[in-house]
């Protein structure tokens, strides 16, 4: 714990050469994938797969638009119905109704059953029951930890792993002080001709309702899935999901086993135009998380006869040391942002030349060790110039966010606490931050004759500097495979995006700087996608003001999400997945 500084040179991990993502050049590639989907049995293996790949082969091949093969009249009609005004009107009403139920989850929620604020979730479950009667009649409906909702549509082939669709029922609370700032009241679900407004409209009752619409429509059309479809809706995602996803994931783990689910889609990243190109960016990774608390305890006393340094002064010295040194920007081979850069280089007209060159040399040198101090990761450093939102896809963030110390002007502060928030970069661990902070605190403890308790279980003690991690510390999520040279869930997802939005959209691996309910599902499936599949080319409003005033969703975006889910479920059903 004491000797590995994040900025020190670390040995390059002896990983096997990364698997070639694809083996033939652009044009043939989507054809091969399409052929594979169309004739899975006649093409047991894509023939080019095992051949050698040169460093110049494309790394961001795009699967062709993928439509379900088996489209009976009823299913085609159901799909076409989604684009009608009558469906649009209906789903506006159903989404607005969902927004009107204020399912706020508060940071200080008490136990379920005791804290009455949870009870609003009963209303929401009742609302779903009345609004989607067919689902409640035909599917197995279970509740987990009172308000977690699981719907199971049993497929005809139990040897196929289920498709899991997720969303959360709760929303971020609307503080009283901000209610007046809303254009339309946050829980009225107003439709203004383009948008549905309100808290939860885009985070993420839109996703939940889109999933329900999809299943209801497929049931109405007489669809018979081979692959089981599972819906899992948590109810406290906005306060870390412990009660909801924290119980739902183990429930599904018990039922289906380790990696017993083929793929999971939850809320997450969406569409974005970058370098002159529209990208869909399903989140295939999530940064890690830790808050470190630093407590400095020193003698009190009257401030007329002070010591030269108080606990506030020592804590300040530590803060200064923390801020003097940022974590390095670096891109490991499995960081999804590296994939995005390749996609930009290969598909975006305005991709910067300099980045393109750096990528080229990176692709050529297989033995690079980007994390090393002696050899900075020039690619990451150059890419980071695009701004903090990009930089922190490749760098552990640190922010001193909380400080408390001192109670009185004439008393020396006996205790000062500082909390440092971190989001851990792919390729690092929370321990990277722990050892870094330990190395900064150590000389200070020595200088001021204090005992150092570094992550040793002592939260605080007199005459000491104590470092401890928060209970919600989370490792970096395993990265979902993004192979498109085999029939992978990612290839199915990407093909479905291009089926709904056309082949001008490029699908690139996304990475989340925040965490979703999927943090509890790592053992349930290797194929987790944090993805909002709705997009409206006319009203491209990004994330729709989530977590702030005037949250809203474009109805076209929402309807497109339904179209996407309808195709995705059926494409997954037909895919003969290779892992
Ligand atoms: C949809 O709603 C609009 C506005 O309320 C209405 O004018 C229109 O007739 C409705 N269309 C259908 C097909 O129900
Ligand atoms: C450091 O503290 C110890 C007791 O905690 C004390 O015995 C010692 O004299 C102190 N040394 C200095 C240099 O203040
Ligand atoms: C999930 O996997 C992790 C690490 O592989 C393990 O520590 C944990 O116990 C597993 N959880 C379950 C529910 O099996
Ligand atoms: Zn959310």
């Amino acid at each position: 714990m004491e000797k590995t500084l994040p900025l020190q040179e670390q040995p390059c991990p002896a990983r096997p050469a990364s698997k070639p993502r694809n083996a033939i050049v652009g044009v043939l590639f989507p054809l091969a994938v399409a052929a594979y989907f169309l004739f899975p049995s006649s093409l047991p293996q894509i023939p080019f797969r095992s051949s050698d790949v040169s460093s110049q082969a494309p790394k961001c091949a795009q699967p062709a638009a993928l439509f379900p093969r088996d489209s009976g009249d009823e299913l085609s009609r159901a799909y076409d119905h989604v684009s009608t005004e009558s469906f649009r009107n209906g789903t506006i009403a159903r989404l607005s109704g969902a927004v009107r139920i204020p399912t706020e989850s508060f940071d200080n929620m008490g136990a379920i059953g005791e804290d009455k604020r949870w009870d609003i979730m009963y209303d929401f479950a009742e609302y779903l029951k009345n609004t989607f009667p067919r689902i409640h009649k035909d599917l197995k409906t279970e509740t987990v930890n009172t308000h977690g909702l699981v719907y199971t549509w049993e497929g005809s082939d139990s040897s196929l792993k289920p498709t899991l669709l997720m969303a959360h029922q709760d929303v971020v609370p609307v503080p009283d002080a901000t209610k007046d700032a809303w254009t339309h009241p946050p829980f009225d679900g107003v439709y203004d001709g383009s948008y549905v407004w309100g808290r939860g409209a885009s985070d993420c009752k839109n996703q939940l309702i889109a999933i329900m619409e999809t299943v209801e429509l497929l049931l109405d059309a007489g669809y018979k899935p081979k692959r089981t479809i599972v819906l899992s809706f948590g109810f406290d995602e906005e306060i870390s999901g412990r009660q909801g996803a924290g119980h739902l994931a183990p429930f599904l783990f018990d039922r289906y086993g380790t990696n017993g689910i083929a793929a999971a889609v939850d809320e997450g990243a969406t569409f974005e135009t970058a370098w002159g190109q529209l990208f869909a960016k399903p989140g295939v990774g999530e940064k890690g998380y830790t808050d470190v608390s630093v407590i400095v305890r020193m003698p009190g006393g009257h401030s007329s006869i002070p010591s030269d340094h108080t606990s506030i002064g020592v804590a300040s010295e530590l803060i200064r040391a923390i801020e003097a040194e940022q974590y390095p920007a670096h891109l490991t081979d499995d960081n999804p942002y590296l994939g995005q850069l390749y996609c930009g280089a290969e598909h975006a007209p305005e991709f910067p030349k300099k980045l393109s060159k750096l990528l080229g040399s990176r692709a050529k040198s297989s033995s690079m060790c980007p994390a090393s101090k002696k050899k900075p990761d020039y690619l990451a450093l150059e890419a980071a110039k695009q701004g903090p939102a990009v930089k922190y896809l490749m760098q552990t963030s640190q922010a001193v966010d909380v400080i408390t110390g001192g109670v009185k002007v004439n008393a020396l502060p006996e205790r000062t606490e500082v909390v440092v928030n971190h989001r851990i970069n792919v390729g690092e661990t929370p321990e990277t931050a722990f050892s870094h902070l330990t190395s900064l605190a150590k000389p200070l403890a020595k200088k001021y004759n204090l005992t150092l308790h570094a992550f040793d279980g002592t939260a605080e003690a007199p005459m000491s500097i104590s470092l401890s991690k928060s209970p919600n510390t989370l490792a970096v999520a395993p990265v979902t495979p993004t192979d498109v040279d085999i029939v992978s869930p990612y290839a199915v997802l990407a093909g479905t995006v291009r089926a709904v939005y056309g082949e001008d959209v490029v699908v690139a691996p996304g990475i989340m700087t925040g965490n979703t309910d999927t943090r509890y599902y790592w053992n349930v499936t290797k194929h987790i996608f944090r993805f909002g599949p709705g997009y409206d080319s006319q009203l491209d409003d990004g994330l729709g003001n989530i977590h702030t005033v005037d949250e809203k969703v474009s109805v076209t975006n929402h309807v497109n999400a339904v179209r996407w889910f309808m195709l995705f479920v059926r494409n997954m059903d037909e895919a003969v997945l290779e892992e």
Side-chain angles (χ1 to χ4, degrees), residues 168 170 172 202-204 237-238 266-268 515-516 546-547:
H168 58 87
D170 62 309
V172 174
S202 61
D203 180 10
C204 61
E237 194 276 340
E238 300 294 357
D266 193 11
E267 61 168 341
N515 300 110
T516 62
I546 63 169
H547 295 210

Side-chain angles (χ1 to χ4, degrees), residues 215-237:
V215 175
E216 191 88 355
L217 285 164
L218 290 174
L219 283 167
D220 278 339
Y223 183 59
K224 300 262 181 288
K226 294 191 291 290
R227 191 187 288 283
T228 294
I229 300 161
V230 179
L231 316 184
S232 175
F233 300 150
F235 57 92
D236 63 340
E237 194 276 340

Side-chain angles (χ1 to χ4, degrees), residues 501-525:
Y501 297 103
E503 295 192 341
D504 289 342
V505 180
V506 171
V507 183
I511 171 165
M512 313 281 293
T513 51
N515 300 110
T516 62
D517 269 346
T518 60
R519 80 185 77 175
Y520 298 98
Y521 285 75
W522 296 350
N523 296 359
V524 174
T525 177

Side-chain angles (χ1 to χ4, degrees), residues 243-431:
Q243 300 294 331
H247 287 74
L248 288 159
F251 176 85
L252 295 174
F253 182 83
D254 283 351
R255 180 165 291 170
Y256 298 108
T258 304
N259 194 28
I261 298 269
V265 179
D266 193 11
E267 61 168 341
T270 60
F271 292 72
E272 194 189 340
T273 299
W275 309 305
Q277 169 64 48
L278 178 63
F279 290 95
K281 296 184 176 174
V284 297
E286 262 183 20
K287 291 180 83 177
Y289 187 99
T290 191
D291 292 318
V292 174
S293 152
V294 181
I295 296 177
V296 182
R297 292 265 307 262
M298 290 177 66
H302 201 282
S303 49
S304 58
I305 44 165
S307 49
D308 288 356
H309 302 278
T310 68
S311 68
I312 292 176
V314 173
S316 309
E317 206 168 321
L318 182 59
I319 292 168
R320 230 178 64 97
I322 290 170
E323 294 198 341
E325 197 174 6
Q326 302 298 316
Y327 288 89
H330 75 92
L331 277 164
T332 52
D333 285 346
D334 59 345
N335 188 316
Y337 191 68
L338 181 62
Q340 264 180 51
L341 289 174
Y342 281 120
C343 287
E346 288 167 21
H347 299 282
E350 293 159 26
F351 192 75
K353 293 241 158 29
K354 188 156 183 200
L355 275 178
S356 200
K357 248 169 113 178
L358 287 164
L359 264 176
S361 33
R362 164 148 185 150
K364 280 193 206 105
S365 83
S366 54
S367 57
M368 250 187 94
C369 187
S372 106
K373 189 181 189 177
K374 287 184 188 141
K375 196 171 174 189
D377 188 342
Y378 294 112
L379 173 61
L381 290 172
E382 181 62 26
K385 289 180 185 164
Q386 295 169 95
V390 171
K391 177 168 89 172
Y392 286 112
L393 303 175
M394 305 171 281
Q395 180 172 325
T396 294
S397 64
Q398 57 175 12
V400 180
D401 282 332
V402 179
I403 181 163
T404 46
V407 287
K408 212 167 176 312
V409 285
N410 60 359
L412 300 174
E414 291 172 311
R415 178 182 190 278
T416 297
E417 176 172 17
V418 173
V419 184
V420 192
N421 175 260
H422 304 81
R423 315 292 171 121
I424 311 296
N425 189 14
V426 177
E428 290 172 13
T429 63
E431 284 69 27

